[in-house]
Amino acid sequence: MAEIDMPGAEVESMGALLARVMELIETRASGFDAVAVGPPLAAAGREFDERWNDGRFQLKRECKALREGCEAIVKGFADADKEMASALKDDGDGGTGK
């Protein structure tokens, strides 16, 4: 039987980091204060934010898909591990089903 080494902790960590990236992408929630930076920078910030809308939407969608993929990988390997352990346990009962 082949041994498969799946870095579960790293994949779980990647999923969590992608969730954090999704939070940080939302620039409007950052508490931007137009008065504190002055009109020229405030106007440039608003213009950037308006142009960034499409990119933000796409990046969030892609990050969500990657995060869900990480979760599916971890779950799939955990389920397979449980099934294999159960099969090994069942094989050790001498065919009695006990």
Side-chain angles (χ1 to χ4, degrees):
M1 178 173 284
E3 184 175 321
I4 300 172
D5 183 27
M6 200 285 283
E10 289 86 349
V11 175
E12 278 186 285
S13 178
M14 182 176 161
L17 290 171
L18 285 166
R20 180 65 178 140
V21 166
M22 289 171 59
E23 291 173 17
L24 294 173
I25 288 171
E26 192 56 56
T27 57
R28 289 185 181 161
S30 67
F32 172 71
D33 183 6
V35 175
V37 297
L41 287 178
R46 275 192 297 278
E47 182 180 343
F48 172 82
D49 197 47
E50 289 171 8
R51 290 182 179 188
W52 171 230
N53 276 336
D54 289 341
R56 180 187 303 123
F57 173 78
Q58 184 176 355
L59 192 55
K60 285 175 74 173
R61 183 181 62 212
E62 298 298 329
C63 283
K64 180 181 180 205
L66 286 168
R67 190 187 76 219
E68 289 171 352
C70 289
E71 292 167 357
I73 290 168
V74 170
K75 183 181 182 324
F77 271 89
D79 291 349
D81 193 40
K82 287 177 189 173
E83 288 175 21
M84 292 294 247
S86 178
L88 290 172
K89 181 180 174 189
D90 291 345
D91 284 348
D93 67 8
T96 63
K98 294 180 183 179

